[in-house]
DNA sequence: GTCAATTCACATGAAAGAGACCACGGTCTAGTG
DNA sequence: CTAGACCGTGGTCTCTTTCATGTGAATTGACGA
């Protein structure tokens, strides 16, 4: 079939989607399934803010895709609505601390907050306490309660240390006409354990745990969304169930389930099918994984790519176990060939660790007794993806 | 044979350096009236 | 006289290096049965 024909057919075929947004992660449905308890709790905790009192700080835990952000945003929205109705001034600030180059350091976070309140601040160059001062001043001018939601706060604290939270809570002591309430959201359940006790007690005056969704719950959510997203009769029997089962299998991640459904829809549409069938879900799962890895690898710096290339080559060449030392040797030779300045083994060790985190590689620490202690490295990718990655690396490294 | 000490090959941590980016204030220069 | 170009200083941020310390079990070697 020629390209032209394809385009003609494509135009004739009507889309499955009537409102694709409903499947996107930032979509905000009016009613949120299976989180009624959490929402009422948060609402009750934060309600005093409407009367101008300072509510307790809240800390919310839960794995990815358990609806933390959604609930938080939902409650803020309601508070804002009620506040507007009654002519109360409340400022709500939502920041995602994971966003690179926006709010992933102390300086950036505070600067970003100040910016949200309407100051201009340089990206860098000022001393951090200067930025605090600016923020402090502008908060003082507002003369109203401020609700500060820090999403993925664990990322921030891991990088910037916990005195940042301490500083933020401390501000309250010096404010007269306004106060700041912190709402922390974390994916990491053990996050609070390594916190300074002082910080911990002030941050988590109230704690809320978001349990993972189970399969039936995810099904409900998927149904609710897919009714909005797809036209009638485009989703075959069992599709929703299967998506839900996949997502429930690894820690009840609703976001993943929605993505799976969306991508399955896109694939079915592209293939010119009449409806979304079970097999598209498998294809979607592969595609998501493949895209994720390919994107990741492409965006890595040269050194990381060289390291990954070394790992893949050496793992493919030798069938038995591969250790950090072997990778480093290969890597050094590779650097020689490609005119890359070789990094120290210390650094490579960290890089391997990062690839492990990304799930591209499985690096398990093993002790071989007298023969030392090292990482046993395997590749955590399906054959087909591995080949693709290798191709990319060949191009990127100019081999 | 048993048991603690040794030893290997890194892992893991902490600190500090290099180099990119940026703001700010001061100095110099050239253009203007 | 003044706007703009051009420093030097001091700050952040990321990626690395350097130095130091930690670690778990195979191996070793002393010891006693």
């Amino acid at each position: 079939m020629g390209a032209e024909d394809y385009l003609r057919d494509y135009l004739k075929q009507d889309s499955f989607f009537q409102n694709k947004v409903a499947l996107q992660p930032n979509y905000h449905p009016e009613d949120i399934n299976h989180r009624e308890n959490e929402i009422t709790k948060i609402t009750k905790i934060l309600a005093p803010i409407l009367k101008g009192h300072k509510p307790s700080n809240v800390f919310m835990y839960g794995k990815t895709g358990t609806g933390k952000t959604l609930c938080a945003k939902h409650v803020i929205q309601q508070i804002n609505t009620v506040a507007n109705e009654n002519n109360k001034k409340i400022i709500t600030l939502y920041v995602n601390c994971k966003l690179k180059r926006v709010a992933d350091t102390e300086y950036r976070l505070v600067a970003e907050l100040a910016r949200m309140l309407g100051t201009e601040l340089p990206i860098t160059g000022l001393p951090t306490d200067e930025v605090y001062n600016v923020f402090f001043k502008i908060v003082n001018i507002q003369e109203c309660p401020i609700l500060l939601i820090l999403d993925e706060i664990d990322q921030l604290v891991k990088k910037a240390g916990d005195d940042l939270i301490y500083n933020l809570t401390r501000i309250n002591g010096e404010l007269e006409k306004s106060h700041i309430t912190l709402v922390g959201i974390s994916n990491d359940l053990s996050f609070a354990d390594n916190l300074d006790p002082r910080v911990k007690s002030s941050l988590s005056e109230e704690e809320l745990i978001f349990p993972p969704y189970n399969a039936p719950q995810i099904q409900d959510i998927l149904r609710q969304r897919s009714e909005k997203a797809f036209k009638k009769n485009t989703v075959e029997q069992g599709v929703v169930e299967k998506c839900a089962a996949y997502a429930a299998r690894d820690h009840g991640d609703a976001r993943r389930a929605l993505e799976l459904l969306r991508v399955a829809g896109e694939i079915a549409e592209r293939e010119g099918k009449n409806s979304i069938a079970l097999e598209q879900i498998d294809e979607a799962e592969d595609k998501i994984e493949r895209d994720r890895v390919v994107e990741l690898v492409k965006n890595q710096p040269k050194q990381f790519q060289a390291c990954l290339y070394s790992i893949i080559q050496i793992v493919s060449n030798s069938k038995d176990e591969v250790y950090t030392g072997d990778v480093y040797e290969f890597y050094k030779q590779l650097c020689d060939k490609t005119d890359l300045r070789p990094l120290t083994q210390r650094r490579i060790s960290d890089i391997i660790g990062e690839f492990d985190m990304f799930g591209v590689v499985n690096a398990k620490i093993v002790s071989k007794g007298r023969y030392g202690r090292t990482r046993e490295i395997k590749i955590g990718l399906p054959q087909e993806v591995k080949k693709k990655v290798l191709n990319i690396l060949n191009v990127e490294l100019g081999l």
Side-chain angles (χ1 to χ4, degrees), chain A residues 357-382:
Chain A
M357 288 259 302
F358 293 147
V360 177
V361 144
N362 291 323
K364 205 175 66 189
I365 296 152
V366 292
S367 179
K368 293 183 293 139
R370 183 63 195 264
Y371 304 107
R373 202 171 121 90
T374 178
R375 282 193 174 94
E376 191 179 294
I377 303 164
K378 290 184 188 129
I379 295 180
L381 300 174

Side-chain angles (χ1 to χ4, degrees), chain A residues 232-353:
Chain A
K232 281 231 154 78
N233 301 325
T234 43
V235 184
E236 284 182 19
Q237 271 284 311
V239 167
V240 165
E241 285 77 4
K242 190 167 180 186
C243 277
Y246 272 13
R249 197 181 49 197
D250 40 36
H251 67 260
D253 185 343
R255 194 181 313 171
R256 246 183 68 87
L258 290 165
E259 189 185 15
L260 206 55
L261 194 57
R262 177 174 55 82
V263 175
E266 285 167 3
I267 290 175
E269 187 169 300
R270 195 171 310 153
E271 289 178 356
K273 296 266 173 18
N274 298 322
S275 57
I276 304 166
L278 289 177
E279 58 187 67
Q280 266 88 59
I281 298 176
D282 290 319
E283 288 175 40
E285 207 187 17
D286 289 350
K287 181 174 158 41
I288 290 172
E289 171 69 1
R290 196 170 57 234
D291 288 357
R292 193 195 119 238
V293 173
V294 166
E295 227 18 60
L296 187 95
V297 170
K298 266 192 193 155
N299 292 330
Q300 293 305 313
K302 276 263 173 333
Q303 294 286 4
F304 280 59
Q305 293 179 338
C307 178
L308 183 60
Y309 182 82
S310 307
I311 294 173
I312 294 181
Q313 282 298 338
I314 207 163
V315 169
S316 313
N317 290 343
S318 61
K319 285 166 201 70
D320 43 340
E321 305 81 27
V322 173
Y323 306 113
T324 305
D326 309 335
V327 172
Y328 188 63
E329 280 309 307
F330 191 100
Y331 160 82
K332 267 201 296 194
Q333 289 172 26
L334 181 69
C335 285
D336 238 22
K337 269 187 272 177
T338 52
D339 267 350
L340 205 59
R341 191 178 57 85
L343 301 177
T344 38
Q345 182 158 336
R346 175 72 186 80
R347 183 69 186 127
I348 294 299
S349 171
D350 278 350
I351 293 176
I352 294 174

Side-chain angles (χ1 to χ4, degrees), chain A residues 213-220 241 244-245 248:
Chain A
Y213 296 109
N214 59 30
Q217 289 173 334
I218 296 187
Q219 282 181 29
D220 283 345
E241 285 77 4

Side-chain angles (χ1 to χ4, degrees), chain A residues 126-151:
Chain A
L126 294 179
T128 305
D129 31 334
E130 181 64 26
V131 184
Y132 264 111
N133 282 337
V134 173
F135 175 62
F136 191 79
K137 242 180 240 160
I138 193 147
V139 166
N140 232 343
I141 298 172
Q142 304 299 324
E143 301 196 357
C144 74
I146 294 177
L147 195 55
L148 181 53
I149 295 95
L150 299 177
D151 205 345

